[in-house]
Amino acid sequence: MPPPLPLLLLTVLVVAAARPGCEFERNPAGGLEADEALPSGLPPTFIRFSHHSYAQMVRVLRRTASRCAHVARTYSIGRSFDGRELLVIEFSSRPGQHELMEPEVKLIGNIHGNEVAGREMLIYLAQYLCSEYLLGNPRIQRLLNTTRIHLLPSMNPDGYEVAAAEGAGYNGWTSGRQNAQNLDLNRNFPDLTSEYYRLAETRGARSDHIPIPQHYWWGKVAPETKAIMKWMQTIPFVLSASLHGGDLVVSYPFDFSKHPQEEKMFSPTPDEKMFKLLSRAYADVHPMMMDRSENRCGGNFLKRGSIINGADWYSFTGGMSDFNYLHTNCFEITVELGCVKFPPEEALYILWQHNKESLLNFVETVHRGIKGVVTDKFGKPVKNARISVKGIRHDITTAPDGDYWRLLPPGIHIVIAQAPGYAKVIKKVIIPARMKRAGRVDFILQPLGMGPKNFIHGLRRTGPHDPLGGASSLGEATEPDPLRARRQPSADGSKPWWWSYFTSLSTHRPRWLLKY
Ligand SMILES: *[C@@H]1O[C@H](CO)[C@@H](O)[C@H](O)[C@H]1NC(C)=O
Ligand SMILES: [Zn+2]
């Protein structure tokens, strides 16, 4: 008989971090209605709500990054087929570096070259973030201090040129949609969804972090697609949105139906609840997506709150969102910004007004759920450890620094951390309905393979009140009674039994622990 697995069970109570309602609105454009040329006296906060050619886009992003040099920088993730840099502007308290436990978000526009609203929204957003940070907007400061945000306004700059040559109002439905090789970039990613459906039928098989099949490389892979995949391998993205045009709706994975012969069919991921929540974070604060009047476009989505499962809308293979979810830790939604793919310039300011709050609100949802670090008993980070949640068959893995982020909807969740050679650690977390900061849940993994004697010795050494060794936690039910767990700490007003565990992890007292 194998030795019993030293399962550890801890009760973690997460409460909402009260968030002062201190957002204040400022006119970021300083007279944006007046489009007159202000050659010298132009305030740096001025945003020109116009279309941007490739050269203009590059100039604005570079200028913005240098104006906000302490919180922004630009970098290229590669080149388009015709050789244009795929330029990203990044915002972070330490640009260029991943910081421990700081979640990373990406927003991608113009993947279809003729769908240009997203490109402009991200160019404006970059300027807005920079200006508001400098002006001291506490919401934006907090956001940039706690989040690393990457904006790629144009994933398909070559297609854009084709579409822009026709111009707004003249652009057909498809001119410039593809890249310069005539590839649709949102059909060019590896189809991992078919593989997922196979794995999901197999008991015990892992259906996350699915490798790219060899045969994918035999086909035509666009340099833009390759650049995105490489980008995703170098940065531990948690959340992403891809901005499109042609309708007014937010869609979420899967995009590829379980039954390919069906044109459309509801095909949820194991994270259906979270994806709905993420999509609503965008749609619910978007005045046009919520508009019930006649003049709204894409009205057929109104009954669903302007969100829809991608495959339930129309199924397609090789999309970017399915790939994000099935190959990495990143959750990506698709936003259709409006019915006009190439809006006239006059419409751009209104579009920005409609999408600004949605974009901010969406990015802020990266702080939902839990995050933390997984270390061994010496405090050494364990990378590639698996973070599983009971009832959601989709594991998240830790980044090279041992940090992880697990987006989770409100409720009670049983979270398990494991890595080869270590015993599993199980914790219970409660995610409150309102939450603006991810609860911190760290895991310390104990090596497997110690004899039972050594193991018991280890227990004695750590003392009865330390949950790492506490006999009460050993072999206890994996589904604890939440009410019992709630009552457990504090009958006498003293610290709960697991308190020392958390306080010993860091010098910071975890503020989100519920005290009695
Ligand atoms: C953000 O960080 C800057 C620089 O460390 C600091 O001055 C500012 O007070 C912080 N703001 C918020 C809201 O956290
Ligand atoms: Zn599109």
Side-chain angles (χ1 to χ4, degrees):
M1 219 173 81
L5 276 184
L7 295 181
L8 297 175
L9 179 69
L10 291 168
T11 302
V12 179
L13 303 166
V14 182
V15 293
R19 191 165 161 276
C22 54
E23 206 228 327
F24 61 89
E25 195 58 41
R26 205 188 274 278
N27 179 1
L32 48 96
E33 256 89 62
D35 197 26
E36 75 276 320
L38 296 168
S40 56
L42 207 62
T45 49
F46 187 90
I47 298 177
R48 191 180 288 279
F49 292 97
S50 61
H51 288 294
H52 287 77
S53 69
Y54 181 75
Q56 287 168 334
M57 173 178 75
V58 169
R59 220 177 303 134
V60 168
L61 296 184
R62 294 236 161 96
R63 199 172 56 217
T64 304
S66 67
R67 194 155 62 85
C68 276
H70 57 308
V71 287
R73 66 160 188 149
T74 54
Y75 64 95
S76 166
I77 58 165
R79 283 176 184 275
S80 68
F81 189 79
D82 282 347
R84 294 184 175 88
E85 299 280 6
L86 302 172
L87 199 66
V88 173
I89 184 164
E90 169 205 336
F91 290 90
S92 152
S93 46
R94 290 176 76 187
Q97 287 174 49
H98 173 72
E99 287 178 80
L100 191 71
M101 272 185 290
E102 185 175 71
E104 311 233 11
V105 185
K106 61 182 158 73
L107 301 177
I108 299 176
N110 202 205
I111 173 170
H112 290 137
N114 62 334
E115 297 168 13
V116 305
R119 168 184 173 120
E120 297 305 331
M121 294 306 114
L122 296 183
I123 295 171
Y124 309 155
L125 180 63
Q127 296 167 84
Y128 176 83
L129 290 177
C130 171
S131 294
E132 292 301 298
Y133 189 91
L134 293 178
L135 290 167
N137 179 333
R139 181 191 188 182
I140 301 305
Q141 286 211 340
R142 192 180 319 109
L143 184 63
L144 299 198
N145 285 3
T146 57
T147 323
R148 195 170 171 213
I149 304 166
H150 307 256
L151 311 177
L152 173 61
S154 182
M155 178 174 158
N156 185 1
D158 300 347
Y160 178 85
E161 293 304 309
V162 175
E166 292 187 5
Y170 295 94
N171 182 250
W173 198 241
T174 53
S175 303
R177 175 184 173 92
Q178 267 87 336
N179 81 339
Q181 298 161 283
N182 209 24
L183 292 172
D184 186 328
L185 299 179
N186 206 29
R187 307 288 184 274
N188 195 232
F189 284 85
D191 166 28
L192 304 181
T193 324
S194 304
E195 180 63 11
Y196 167 82
Y197 291 131
R198 262 194 302 278
L199 291 167
E201 310 264 282
T202 317
R203 253 185 89 86
R206 262 182 90 172
S207 51
D208 55 278
H209 298 85
I210 300 173
I212 298 170
Q214 266 310 309
H215 65 78
Y216 168 74
W217 301 106
W218 305 338
K220 252 193 195 171
V221 181
E224 294 88 350
T225 312
K226 235 183 256 176
I228 296 284
M229 292 194 289
K230 222 175 113 194
W231 191 29
M232 286 166 53
Q233 273 161 15
T234 45
I235 295 177
F237 290 114
V238 180
L239 183 63
S240 174
S242 164
L243 308 180
H244 291 247
D247 215 311
L248 187 65
V249 68
V250 178
S251 79
Y252 58 88
F254 291 118
D255 279 326
F256 188 45
S257 158
K258 184 169 181 173
H259 299 285
Q261 66 278 14
E262 303 276 346
E263 216 167 89
K264 53 186 197 168
M265 177 176 218
F266 176 61
S267 306
T269 66
D271 282 287
E272 164 74 7
K273 261 193 181 164
M274 192 63 215
F275 270 117
K276 275 183 122 161
L277 204 142
L278 293 169
S279 306
R280 286 206 197 101
Y282 201 100
D284 284 1
V285 295
H286 192 293
M288 291 316 284
M289 288 185 182
M290 290 296 116
D291 185 12
R292 312 203 141 263
S293 68
E294 294 287 302
N295 59 20
R296 175 194 194 277
C297 81
N300 42 336
F301 299 109
L302 189 56
K303 278 201 296 285
R304 311 161 174 265
S306 289
I307 68 169
I308 191 169
N309 169 259
D312 201 11
W313 182 15
Y314 63 91
S315 170
F316 66 91
T317 179
M320 188 162 68
S321 297
D322 285 6
F323 178 77
N324 267 267
Y325 183 72
L326 293 175
H327 188 65
T328 75
N329 291 319
C330 189
F331 287 39
E332 185 176 86
I333 62 162
T334 300
V335 182
E336 299 282 346
L337 291 163
C339 295
V340 184
K341 291 189 175 188
F342 204 128
E345 208 148 80
E346 311 86 76
L348 291 175
Y349 174 63
I350 299 294
L351 262 172
W352 164 246
Q353 286 301 319
H354 288 167
N355 287 285
K356 181 184 86 176
E357 179 56 31
S358 292
L359 289 165
L360 294 176
N361 199 45
F362 173 73
V363 171
E364 285 168 343
T365 57
V366 78
H367 296 285
R368 291 293 192 101
I370 57 170
K371 65 176 180 180
V373 277
V374 179
T375 55
D376 67 11
K377 61 179 177 175
F378 305 109
K380 207 172 130 264
V382 179
K383 69 170 178 185
N384 260 320
R386 283 164 67 186
I387 305 294
S388 321
V389 178
K390 272 206 157 197
I392 303 177
R393 193 174 163 192
H394 182 81
D395 293 350
I396 293 303
T397 53
T398 53
D401 298 338
D403 43 356
Y404 79 91
W405 304 261
R406 200 358 165 152
L407 297 171
L408 284 172
I412 299 172
H413 300 280
I414 305 296
V415 184
I416 302 142
Q418 58 191 307
Y422 297 94
K424 287 182 182 180
V425 177
I426 303 178
K427 296 190 181 191
K428 189 178 85 170
V429 302
I430 299 175
I431 311 283
R434 302 198 149 269
M435 181 183 207
K436 285 291 174 179
R437 185 168 38 200
R440 182 167 171 185
V441 182
D442 292 341
F443 293 91
I444 298 177
L445 303 184
Q446 299 290 335
L448 273 179
M450 296 190 298
K453 227 175 170 175
N454 288 342
F455 181 66
I456 286 161
H457 177 71
L459 285 184
R460 290 222 182 94
R461 212 177 37 206
T462 47
H465 288 291
D466 186 336
L468 279 177
S472 65
S473 67
L474 192 66
E476 207 173 70
T478 52
E479 299 267 27
D481 172 5
L483 293 175
R484 215 196 89 223
R486 267 171 196 278
R487 279 198 305 269
Q488 193 175 352
S490 110
D492 56 348
S494 64
K495 296 279 187 280
W497 59 279
W498 37 263
W499 184 260
S500 59
Y501 173 74
F502 286 97
T503 47
S504 69
L505 280 181
S506 87
T507 50
H508 302 292
R509 208 164 122 129
R511 267 172 298 184
W512 45 269
L513 282 173
L514 192 60
K515 281 184 284 174
Y516 287 84

